[in-house]
Amino acid sequence: MASEVFDVVVIGAGATGSGSALDAVTRGLSTALVEARDFAAGTSSRSSKLIHGGLRYLEQKDFALVREALRERSLLLNTLAPHLVRPVPFLFPLHEHWERAYIGAGMMLYDSLGGHQGLPRHRHLTKRGALRLAPALKPDVLVGAIQYYDGKVDDARHTLTVARTAANYGAAVASAARVVGFLREGARVAGVRVRDEQSGEEIAVRARMVVNATGVWTDDLQHLVGERGKFQVRASKGIHLVVPRDRIQLDTGLILRTEKSVLFVIPWGRHWIVGTTDTDWNLDKAHPAASARDIGYVLEHVNAVLEQPLTREDVEGVYAGLRPLLTGESENTSKLSREHTVAAPVPGLVAVAGGKYTTYRVMARDAIDAVARGLDRSVPPSATHVTELVGAEGFRALWNGRERLAAASGLHVARIEHLLGRFGSRIHDLLELVEADPELGRPLPGADDYLAVEVRYAASHEGALHLEDVLTRRTRISIETFDRGLAAAEPAARLMADVLGWSEADVAREVERYHGRVAAERRSQEQADDRAADLERLAAPDVRA
């Protein structure tokens, strides 16, 4: 990176930053993407994992945002990432008879704004029909229901795939590359100073334009520039619980109204994801902590409708993420804007913030449109609406032939389906590794939903540098097992060691740090408030400190 002058350097490899790098490089711009920690290490691995228009924004009459998000939902489901994004049904219980006309009209509008996209339209259910789909619900909490469809995605895997696609098209991509300063040519930003967090070395990366796509860290980067930005970003914390599938007897997802927002119960493999909350957060941004109060809030609200209530003992995993909201006049974060904005605070610098995960591509397009205006030449329009992500090409044909793949590889067809749903047509890379070393086709000890080859591939092809990267983002073992991945930690570290050249001492250090992280998270989740939870979470050593 130090030897080239790029057209654009993008800071931050979350969904928007990775999307910006892909948008830029597919317009023919020489592009670099730098990330201080890991791909999707912040908000983009800790969302509700939904690709949706947002029913609550419809109720707020934000029709433009909903229409835009539904258009993106259709693109992701049908064109850009059919291997990663899949349909999911949700049941909306009706508590009063008058709600059927009101909610039904909203659902009709939601379907209409989404257009023709291959998803079933909403349908009305009687009380009996609703309880047939959702026997877990208390009969006295509903008079009927409406079922509708949205999309779901493994957000961290999707973000990583966007970054890999950018690299495939020629972008220079680096994680563990922290921006510690900006290069200036007079008043103009002319690049960034980057520190390699692995070696400590600093390099200057020169660029004609720089994009700040750092989400909740937007203001921090702006302070490095030394000039006031044109907008401010406020962090809102949302927490989610993960519980085993057998704890809630549902054949559909569930959406519930709360006094502040909505609560989702989302099918997730052999689990349910339950959330979220929406509260102000002004503590550590890298490791937001869920408190006992947060967990109690989610349990209280979901238990209000469940015949068999969930307890803390049912909770396998907990995660907390921060939404980057544009500061407004409202006193609480649930009313701040989910619209995004793009600004040029100083010459040579573009900042993009706000928005929601589903509209990452639109945010990226708008950011690179602003970059194009800052360059002294003509730049083609965005092409990302027709650019398949890595693994999408040929996915449907491979899915249809999954039994043949299973027979040829010796893996069970369920394992092939799992790999196709995470890697798409890149499944061939993993099957080649298994063919060369059949032991890699075995389940990972301590996390048998995953194969050993997925850990090896994460280190060899997906930029995983630490054990935490694999257990929390390349896989979701840290939230899908009751022990939070402790049993899988050493076997996973040894699989990574073969690729990364770790010594026995390196393996022991990675495992010890991961154990420390889990212990700190557990302690934080026992604390009564945010400040106490934050103190406990930060007691664990940071692998990227």
Side-chain angles (χ1 to χ4, degrees):
M1 288 186 177
S3 61
E4 185 174 349
V5 179
F6 293 94
D7 290 321
V8 58
V9 169
V10 180
I11 309 169
T16 304
S18 298
S20 296
L22 177 58
D23 192 287
V25 75
T26 52
R27 296 191 198 207
L29 301 177
S30 59
T31 304
L33 172 65
V34 293
E35 163 59 43
R37 301 180 66 83
D38 183 29
F39 303 102
T43 302
S44 296
S45 60
R46 309 179 196 200
S47 74
S48 293
K49 315 205 184 311
L50 293 177
I51 299 296
H52 65 141
L55 281 177
R56 68 173 172 142
Y57 307 120
L58 194 63
E59 192 168 26
Q60 294 166 6
K61 299 182 175 61
D62 198 343
F63 302 127
L65 176 63
V66 174
R67 182 186 294 107
E68 180 178 79
L70 290 175
R71 187 167 54 242
E72 293 304 305
R73 183 188 70 177
S74 179
L75 272 176
L76 285 161
L77 277 164
N78 298 312
T79 304
L80 307 183
H83 57 313
L84 301 177
V85 182
R86 40 191 68 84
V88 57
F90 284 102
L91 194 72
F92 194 120
L94 303 172
H95 305 295
E96 303 287 346
H97 289 287
W98 64 264
E99 289 182 312
R100 187 175 293 280
Y102 176 67
I103 302 299
M107 292 294 186
M108 187 177 298
L109 180 57
Y110 197 69
D111 285 343
S112 299
L113 290 172
H116 176 70
Q117 56 206 316
L119 286 181
R121 299 180 74 82
H122 77 280
R123 61 176 181 141
H124 287 259
L125 297 168
T126 63
K127 179 175 180 176
R128 179 179 295 177
L131 290 173
R132 192 177 299 121
L133 278 177
L137 297 182
K138 296 175 181 176
D140 60 352
V141 301
L142 75 165
V143 298
I146 299 176
Q147 189 179 51
Y148 74 101
Y149 280 77
D150 258 323
K152 66 177 177 179
V153 69
D154 182 332
D155 47 6
R157 176 145 296 280
H158 170 261
T159 295
L160 170 70
T161 304
V162 176
R164 287 190 70 191
T165 308
N168 255 27
Y169 281 99
V173 176
S175 64
R178 183 179 300 276
V179 170
V180 294
F182 285 83
L183 308 178
R184 304 294 285 260
E185 292 289 347
R188 187 179 183 86
V189 168
V192 292
R193 183 159 292 280
V194 176
R195 182 175 68 227
D196 182 336
E197 297 287 73
Q198 299 287 98
S199 68
E201 178 188 359
E202 288 191 14
I203 62 170
V205 181
R206 299 195 171 277
R208 297 175 182 88
M209 294 292 295
V210 174
V211 175
N212 176 1
T214 54
V216 294
W217 287 274
T218 299
D219 296 350
D220 302 70
L221 264 290
Q222 189 61 41
H223 292 154
L224 281 181
V225 179
E227 297 187 33
R228 186 174 179 177
K230 292 189 175 181
F231 55 81
Q232 290 184 306
V233 173
R234 182 171 164 186
S236 162
K237 182 178 69 168
I239 79 121
H240 295 78
L241 311 181
V242 182
V243 301
R245 195 68 177 260
D246 64 2
R247 299 303 197 273
I248 309 176
Q249 298 302 311
L250 297 173
D251 292 324
T252 176
L254 193 63
I255 178 173
L256 307 169
R257 286 174 179 251
T258 69
E259 66 275 11
K260 294 182 179 178
S261 182
V262 293
L263 192 78
F264 288 100
V265 180
I266 305 161
W268 188 256
R270 294 200 293 172
H271 319 269
W272 298 101
I273 293 176
V274 186
T276 182
T277 58
D278 199 341
T279 56
D280 202 16
W281 179 264
N282 54 18
L283 300 168
D284 183 72
K285 295 172 184 172
H287 305 292
S291 67
R293 181 185 301 163
D294 295 326
I295 295 169
Y297 174 91
V298 174
L299 288 175
E300 176 189 350
H301 282 79
V302 74
N303 284 339
V305 302
L306 295 181
E307 186 83 345
Q308 296 293 324
L310 297 173
T311 68
R312 282 293 298 263
E313 288 67 39
D314 293 318
V315 176
E316 293 174 289
V318 182
Y319 66 93
L322 301 178
R323 306 175 190 88
L325 303 182
L326 301 176
T327 299
E329 300 295 327
S330 173
E331 291 182 0
N332 60 68
T333 60
S334 62
K335 294 180 180 177
L336 292 182
S337 175
R338 296 308 299 273
E339 299 275 6
H340 69 273
T341 193
V342 176
V346 296
L349 177 65
V350 167
V352 54
K356 55 203 294 284
Y357 194 98
T358 303
T359 57
Y360 82 94
R361 192 196 66 83
V362 177
M363 296 173 65
R365 180 198 66 198
D366 291 351
I368 302 307
D369 281 348
V371 164
R373 290 191 291 270
L375 295 172
D376 58 358
R377 70 176 195 271
S378 176
V379 176
S382 175
T384 53
H385 61 297
V386 292
T387 302
E388 293 177 318
L389 299 186
V390 164
E393 64 282 2
F395 165 70
R396 288 184 177 86
L398 286 169
W399 181 263
N400 293 340
R402 59 194 182 277
E403 291 187 359
R404 288 197 303 273
L405 280 175
S409 65
L411 297 177
H412 192 280
V413 68
R415 296 292 188 183
I416 294 296
E417 290 175 353
H418 166 83
L419 295 176
L420 282 170
R422 287 169 48 74
F423 304 95
S425 57
R426 289 300 169 103
I427 190 175
H428 295 302
D429 296 344
L430 289 95
L431 295 182
E432 286 173 8
L433 292 174
V434 172
E435 184 178 10
D437 181 0
E439 288 297 309
L440 295 177
R442 296 184 179 275
L444 179 68
D448 61 7
D449 282 355
Y450 296 90
L451 298 179
V453 69
E454 296 178 72
V455 177
R456 179 70 60 83
Y457 189 76
S460 63
H461 288 71
E462 295 182 336
L465 300 176
H466 293 282
L467 178 60
E468 173 187 304
D469 301 345
V470 169
L471 297 183
T472 63
R473 287 177 289 277
R474 304 306 185 277
T475 70
R476 309 321 286 264
I477 293 169
S478 67
I479 58 171
E480 293 176 347
T481 56
F482 276 107
D483 73 350
R484 311 285 173 94
L486 295 183
E490 185 172 345
R494 293 196 177 282
L495 286 163
M496 296 178 70
D498 294 341
V499 176
L500 300 177
W502 288 348
S503 65
E504 283 294 322
D506 293 329
V507 169
R509 183 165 50 251
E510 288 286 330
V511 172
E512 180 182 4
R513 285 177 172 173
Y514 185 76
H515 278 243
R517 169 199 165 107
V518 170
E521 285 184 340
R522 287 190 184 277
R523 290 194 305 271
S524 73
Q525 291 156 17
E526 296 169 355
Q527 307 308 306
D529 57 48
D530 283 350
R531 189 163 296 279
D534 181 64
L535 285 172
E536 289 292 349
R537 178 60 186 88
L538 294 182
D542 190 337
V543 297
R544 287 183 166 85

